[in-house]
Amino acid sequence: MTQDGSDLVERARDGDEHAFVRLVEEYERAAYRVAARILNDPADAKDAVQEAWIIVWQRLEALQDVERFGGWLYRIVANVALRHRERRSSRQSTLNGYRALVGESVESMDVSTSQMTDEIEFLPAALEAVSARARLLINLRYFSRLSTRRIGRILGLPPGTIRSRLHRTRLAIRKEIERMTTHPTGREHVPHDFRKEEFRRQTWGGGWKPLFTGDLSGWDTLVQWDDVDKERYRPIAAGEVPENVEIVGNGLLLDGSGGGVCLATGDVRWHDMELSLLVTPIDGWCEINFRWDDSEGPYTRPWYFLSMHPGDATVAVQRNARGWVTPLSMVHYPSELGREYAVTILARADSITTYIDGALVNQVTDRHSPRGRISLGVSDSKALYRDIQYRALRLLPEVPEALAYRWESDDDMPEEFRLPAHTTEV
């Protein structure tokens, strides 16, 4: 790098926006070539480079050696492009599921291939017109690629019943597609997956990474003891699937019908982080724990959890301190068993915000748990969690003493944690 180039990087690192613009102009073409080699698509390559420049601006002050700026930039571009390619593969998998559904729904019908292709465009919207239970069957059969026998085992129904319900659902979807093509100005449906993908991509850009990719190595399972103080997490071995857990495509089916199931993953140092996943409550309620700092034991420090209760029609963000639960935001939110919801949790500094299907649900300010992992749980219930992705924006290697809330017993716990004095309802 020339002396002028080093000066530009140093000035940009110090916050000089004009210097940063000049860096973009100097490296734009080379960065584009890196992305284009990976993505083989001009439009996708431009999107990846734009996203990479945002990351560069956010992280430039962390670059120690300005002479290495070029290599550092190209690694960021390559990583962003690779993530774009992964997301493109995921969208292709979804498209294949639509094709399979359309193809099976037109068996024994005089429908041309071109007409089938056209109908794929209407499928996401048409799916919103059928019941939540019917959508769950479609998701399990065509997108998670499960057999009718396995679906029957999950839902507690005979395979014959699953086949007949799938047949009726396909007929209902075909009828909805015909209605939409015949009366295009009728009631509009917002495709569920579209809400999730567009909300995630347009609101925060890229940088999302999958937390589950088909194997539970790197995850822990909570070992249940009679004494709650002796509960602990046990690492899951490669290829192992714990009891009452089933891998369903890119998701996890947790069956806590006879008790509880809890799986944890992530980095205990996560401070500013965002979590996005698709949640289907099948029987009862489900919960997502976050900022769970279990470095000194599962219940040594407080943590937060988001719970969805279809029966009570509520969604709540709550704080748990050794079993003492304080509701921080409890919202009336009618939800259905068997329906899939796109859930996003943003935990930044003292702020916690949640979205469901792209709509704001909870907003909380609380500073009692500054960092931790995430875990998925059910208790006397059953739920499916899939397409689990995250973005870790900032780590907190050490917890400041002012925020180091920890205790070995209830006697050590301040009164504020034992009484829901900070409860607010939105």
Side-chain angles (χ1 to χ4, degrees), residues 166-180:
L166 280 169
H167 176 70
R168 290 197 299 271
T169 300
R170 289 194 298 268
L171 292 178
I173 289 172
R174 169 150 297 280
K175 183 176 180 181
E176 179 64 13
I177 289 175
E178 290 173 353
R179 187 198 67 77
M180 292 168 67

Side-chain angles (χ1 to χ4, degrees), residues 124-125 128 187-195 339 357:
E128 289 297 307
R187 181 173 67 89
E188 295 181 356
H189 305 291
V190 180
H192 201 66
D193 279 348
F194 174 83
R195 277 198 300 261
R339 176 165 185 154
D357 291 343

Side-chain angles (χ1 to χ4, degrees), residues 22-33 46 49-50 53 73:
R22 287 186 58 190
L23 277 179
V24 172
E25 293 171 348
E26 183 173 334
Y27 284 91
E28 182 79 6
R29 294 183 65 180
Y32 172 79
R33 286 196 296 271
K46 289 180 181 178
V49 171
Q50 182 178 8
W53 280 118
L73 164 67

Side-chain angles (χ1 to χ4, degrees), residues 149-214:
R149 184 178 298 278
R150 192 173 174 193
I151 296 172
R153 190 169 67 249
I154 290 172
L155 300 180
L157 296 170
T161 302
I162 298 297
R163 286 192 290 270
S164 64
R165 290 186 179 181
L166 280 169
H167 176 70
R168 290 197 299 271
T169 300
R170 289 194 298 268
L171 292 178
I173 289 172
R174 169 150 297 280
K175 183 176 180 181
E176 179 64 13
I177 289 175
E178 290 173 353
R179 187 198 67 77
M180 292 168 67
T181 54
T182 306
H183 306 287
T185 58
R187 181 173 67 89
E188 295 181 356
H189 305 291
V190 180
H192 201 66
D193 279 348
F194 174 83
R195 277 198 300 261
K196 173 186 73 81
E197 290 298 335
E198 290 304 298
F199 179 68
R200 175 191 288 168
R201 180 172 64 84
Q202 293 183 5
T203 306
W204 299 291
W208 293 91
K209 300 178 181 179
L211 267 174
F212 177 69
T213 56

Side-chain angles (χ1 to χ4, degrees), residues 374-389:
I374 69 104
S375 71
L376 309 175
V378 291
S379 180
D380 295 319
S381 56
K382 183 188 293 188
L384 174 64
Y385 302 93
R386 70 182 190 93
D387 193 19
I388 310 163
Q389 300 191 38

Side-chain angles (χ1 to χ4, degrees), residues 161 275 332:
T161 302
L275 179 69
H332 177 71

Side-chain angles (χ1 to χ4, degrees), residues 17 65 116-117 121 161 168 203 218 238 261 329 373 393 419:
E17 295 184 8
D65 186 354
M116 271 181 51
T117 302
E121 179 183 347
T161 302
R168 290 197 299 271
T203 306
V261 180
S329 169
R373 306 196 294 163
L393 304 177
L419 296 173

Side-chain angles (χ1 to χ4, degrees), residues 249-270:
N250 70 338
L252 294 164
L253 177 70
L254 275 55
D255 187 353
S257 302
V261 180
C262 192
L263 301 178
T265 191
D267 190 329
V268 74
R269 299 172 301 164
W270 282 351

